[in-house]
Amino acid sequence: MRTAFIQTLNELADRDPRVCLVVGDLGFSVIEEFAQKHPDQFVNAGVSEQNMIGLAAGMALTGKIVFTYSIGNFATLRCLEQIRNDVCYHRANVKVVAVGGGLAYGNLGVTHHASEDVAIMRALPNMVVVAPGDPVEARLATRAVVALDGPAYLRLGKAGEPLVHENEPPFELGRAITLRDGTDLTLIASGGMLATADKVARTLAAQNLGVRLVSMHTVKPIDREVVARAAVETAHVFTLEEHSIEGGLGGAVAEVMAELDPGHAPLKRIGLRPEFNKTVGDQNYLKSLHGLDEESVLKTIQQIIARSYGRVG
Amino acid sequence: MNSRATEDELRSVARKLRSHSLRMISQAKTSHIGSCLSVADILAVMYGRILRVDPRRPDWPDRDRLIMSKGHAAAITYAAVAEAGFMPAERLEGYARNGSQLYGHVTHVGVPGIEFSSGSLGHGLPVGTGMALAGKRAGAKWRVFVVMSDGELDEGSNWEAILFAGHHQLDNLTIVIDYNKIQSLDAVDKTLRLEPLADKFRAFGWSPREVDGHDVAALSTALEAVPLEKGRPSAIIAHTIKGKGVSWMEGKVLWHYRAPTPDELVTALAEVAAS
Ligand SMILES: Cc1ncc(C[n+]2csc(CCOP(=O)(O)OP(=O)(O)O)c2C)c(N)n1
Ligand SMILES: [Mg+2]
């Protein structure tokens, strides 16, 4: 995703001199080409994220389209008030980009686990929150946030995530992409969990279940219509995200479903337990401790479906 | 407190810390070997001569507090607390491995001797300042040391604490700056210039001293003299070389990121042993 993002940004900056990149002393072996090709559109703010966002807001208020770039929590939490007041309140045209969303930097430690960023960014007025599901979506999302006049948060993984989309799907911020349709259950995924959801959907479909698979790349504004339809047309709704189950995609979907008329499908949020990790592990290891590996996700879903059949029968 | 180590012993500990870090980072394939190598002599002196700590009682209330604020130099920090006797050196093998507790950034959970977790730069000094204020108000004898990096000084949070500590005359607080002249993308001078650094500290009410950060005698002399001036926090500006001890790593940004391959590890360990 990181690679798709920076390549796309390079192309956009070639064409549009307003597109700028401000990094927080990060991006080794990622940002060099951008910096060389567009020296007047690039600056390293140093290890100073609050200043990075302030600078970006200032540049944006003179007419630039400014991307800021750092790791998960440094990109967002460290400079939260700058994002809220300088960027969101002023509707400054700043696109906050975080790499290492979720547990991508698993064994680096709790400081590098970005597990609440979506919840916090989602709470900010005027902020659009995008967590693309694969490199194709990362490319499309980068273009879309440039076209958007206003603040956005782009949450990326690392490099080398699998492709889920074979071709470029129609992409619009705030419009979920339905990759597969069915009425037994809906899987709504954001970020890198789209790949897991896709695999789980294939397995369940092979077991003759009708699976609807939705990529909710834009967590805010959430596609209410797609959520509502899933809640009414399918028997179960599951959200999948590499983020705390509190306040992220699962929280956003729960908010929509809670206000629907009664009688809709139940919801299960699959994501990170809201706690600090105590054990060291790489991304896959920690994900499995949280039940986010393919096998555990499958088991969670199958158990819930079996239980509901038990109730009906 | 340990008996006062000789200079030869300090140099020997520094070699051990470098070798541990090289092995740990090579085996775990993680980053930041250059950051570890530059701070080796500083940590050897801190644990060998300066800190009043007791490995049998990591939570002894009267201990000196050391906060490793450049938390990405985790491998060498764990090695230092292991060599100081807080935990068996065998535990270092778990560094950044699935199922262990030694995260790739300094982590206190389950690791005796680690005072405070870090990894997001610019947190250690404000926290150390808070400890120093509390210690001062309690009339305590223990002192606070914060080891930081030069790129880390970009963070505004540090300058807020520097202003505060100077104002409150916290002379029980000392920082050691691992001034290796390189940060994440480029040289410090090409990113955000820090010079004249000592003048900045003096202007903020601190007492600065510049030393060769690889000379254990010079480091000891400076650190044994704190507070350098009564009523002022001390800033030891330790001039270092990123990657120090392995010639082909020295002064190169690349070794902020790359882990030595098994072959590179062999030659690196040989260089350290011969140093
Ligand atoms: C708040 C924050 N921003 C960014 C980073 C990413 N990062 C890790 S090390 C580093 C800079 C390395 O240079 P320096 O601070 O001089 O440390 P050295 O390794 O040279 O000792 C950066 C930017 C971080 N850890 N924390
Ligand atoms: Mg440095």
Side-chain angles (χ1 to χ4, degrees):
Chain A
M1 289 197 215
R2 201 176 63 188
T3 317
F5 158 73
I6 194 68
Q7 281 174 355
T8 311
L9 195 68
N10 259 318
E11 292 159 17
L12 292 162
D14 285 344
R15 275 182 270 137
D16 188 342
R18 291 175 306 162
V19 173
C20 296
L21 175 63
V22 185
V23 303
D25 207 33
L26 278 169
F28 182 76
S29 78
V30 177
I31 52 84
E32 286 79 359
E33 187 188 339
F34 188 103
Q36 269 160 23
K37 281 182 35 195
H38 312 101
D40 290 340
Q41 290 158 267
F42 174 83
V43 72
N44 179 5
V47 199
S48 62
E49 295 76 12
Q50 300 181 50
N51 193 41
M52 170 179 81
I53 297 293
L55 291 172
M59 291 164 71
L61 292 174
T62 72
K64 305 288 184 193
I65 303 169
V66 190
F67 283 73
T68 60
Y69 181 93
S70 186
I71 287 178
N73 297 322
F74 314 148
T76 52
L77 307 196
R78 185 54 170 274
C79 39
L80 179 56
E81 203 182 34
Q82 279 79 8
I83 296 177
R84 179 183 184 271
N85 296 357
D86 310 351
V87 175
C88 291
Y89 185 38
H90 293 86
R91 284 189 190 271
N93 209 354
V94 173
K95 322 298 172 182
V96 174
V97 181
V99 283
L103 301 173
Y105 295 119
N107 64 6
L108 292 192
V110 167
T111 49
H112 287 60
H113 298 165
S115 35
E116 308 87 38
D117 55 317
V118 172
I120 292 166
M121 289 297 109
R122 197 169 78 77
L124 300 176
N126 295 340
M127 185 60 113
V128 169
V129 178
V130 195
D134 79 340
V136 173
E137 288 191 12
R139 180 180 310 281
L140 295 167
T142 306
R143 287 188 204 135
V145 296
V146 167
L148 171 84
D149 184 17
Y153 173 49
L154 188 59
R155 186 203 213 216
L156 304 175
K158 282 195 294 194
E161 289 93 350
L163 288 172
V164 178
H165 297 284
E166 283 160 24
N167 308 302
E168 284 196 0
F171 189 94
E172 209 181 309
L173 294 173
R175 280 268 161 107
I177 301 170
T178 301
L179 288 92
R180 162 194 289 277
D181 209 357
T183 56
D184 289 322
L185 70 152
T186 303
L187 305 180
I188 304 178
S190 71
M193 285 303 287
L194 181 64
T196 310
D198 180 48
K199 287 192 192 139
V200 168
R202 284 167 201 267
T203 308
L204 292 170
Q207 297 167 359
N208 288 325
L209 282 163
V211 186
R212 184 175 297 182
L213 174 63
V214 173
S215 172
M216 192 65 75
H217 48 73
T218 309
V219 181
K220 181 189 179 174
I222 190 131
D223 191 334
R224 293 177 157 268
E225 200 190 313
V226 162
V227 173
R229 281 217 313 272
V232 174
E233 295 169 4
T234 75
H236 292 271
V237 178
F238 297 88
T239 55
L240 294 93
E241 63 193 312
E242 199 172 314
H243 180 276
S244 168
I245 56 165
E246 294 181 347
L249 172 70
V253 169
E255 287 165 18
V256 173
M257 288 178 63
E259 291 181 349
L260 296 175
D261 292 337
H264 54 74
L267 166 70
K268 170 73 183 174
R269 295 165 300 155
I270 299 175
L272 304 176
R273 286 185 302 276
E275 62 191 30
F276 293 116
N277 290 297
K278 291 176 206 70
T279 311
V280 177
D282 56 31
Q283 185 173 24
N284 287 335
Y285 183 87
L286 291 184
K287 275 171 78 175
S288 67
L289 291 187
H290 284 273
L292 288 189
D293 57 305
E294 198 183 323
E295 216 172 295
S296 307
V297 169
L298 195 60
K299 214 193 266 169
T300 303
I301 293 172
Q302 281 168 332
Q303 275 170 358
I304 287 175
I305 292 177
R307 234 188 287 147
S308 79
Y309 276 118
R311 266 208 304 275
V312 172
Chain B
M1 191 191 153
N2 347 357
S3 56
R4 196 170 186 279
T6 65
E7 277 167 30
D8 276 344
E9 283 166 347
L10 293 177
R11 279 189 281 270
S12 156
V13 170
R15 275 195 296 276
K16 276 192 203 160
L17 300 188
R18 287 194 165 93
S19 309
H20 279 309
S21 319
L22 282 162
R23 265 187 238 108
M24 291 160 76
I25 287 175
S26 176
Q27 279 160 17
K29 300 193 176 68
T30 56
S31 300
H32 308 133
I33 184 61
S35 321
C36 288
L37 295 174
S38 73
V39 81
D41 304 293
I42 293 168
L43 289 180
V45 170
M46 286 303 310
Y47 282 95
R49 274 203 180 160
I50 306 302
L51 290 176
R52 298 172 195 142
V53 291
D54 182 353
R56 287 160 307 173
R57 285 185 299 161
D59 53 358
W60 174 38
D62 290 332
R63 69 190 181 281
D64 285 344
R65 271 75 171 167
L66 175 107
I67 294 181
M68 183 63 167
S69 192
K70 46 171 268 182
H72 54 286
I76 199 155
T77 307
Y78 299 138
V81 294
E83 284 298 331
F86 284 92
M87 64 175 178
E90 292 77 63
R91 272 196 69 185
L92 300 177
E93 283 164 28
Y95 170 70
R97 299 287 182 89
N98 291 347
S100 108
Q101 298 218 274
L102 304 184
Y103 266 121
H105 284 75
V106 171
T107 296
H108 73 288
V109 180
V111 193
I114 299 294
E115 198 70 55
F116 193 74
S117 291
S118 54
S120 175
L121 293 167
H123 285 248
L125 183 54
V127 173
T129 303
M131 289 176 174
L133 179 71
K136 192 103 193 153
R137 288 186 167 173
K141 290 265 190 308
W142 51 265
R143 306 160 303 166
V144 182
F145 296 87
V146 181
V147 176
M148 346 185 17
S149 50
D150 45 8
E152 184 177 12
L153 284 174
D154 295 352
E155 290 286 1
S157 55
N158 289 318
W159 296 98
E160 295 173 23
I162 291 166
L163 190 62
F164 183 99
H167 176 89
H168 288 275
Q169 306 186 351
L170 300 180
D171 57 8
N172 55 344
L173 173 67
T174 299
I175 64 175
V176 184
I177 297 164
D178 178 7
Y179 197 0
N180 61 25
K181 318 293 185 296
I182 290 183
Q183 44 195 97
S184 277
L185 294 177
D186 211 333
V188 169
D189 268 349
K190 290 189 180 157
T191 309
L192 294 176
R193 197 169 39 256
L194 292 173
E195 288 301 331
L197 188 55
D199 290 352
K200 289 187 173 69
F201 279 102
R202 185 150 282 290
F204 276 67
W206 287 55
S207 188
R209 182 174 298 179
E210 308 206 35
V211 298
D212 175 347
H214 298 306
D215 178 342
V216 293
L219 279 167
S220 298
T221 307
L223 282 160
E224 282 175 338
V226 302
L228 300 174
E229 287 173 73
K230 201 167 160 21
R232 284 174 172 257
S234 307
I236 308 297
I237 301 170
H239 292 278
T240 56
I241 296 168
K242 198 152 176 169
K244 170 75 179 180
V246 179
S247 54
W248 36 274
M249 291 186 182
E250 290 183 1
K252 296 213 172 77
V253 178
L254 178 68
W255 293 100
H256 187 76
Y257 300 93
R258 257 201 61 192
T261 64
D263 285 347
E264 288 167 344
L265 176 64
V266 173
T267 56
L269 287 174
E271 262 201 48
V272 168
S275 66

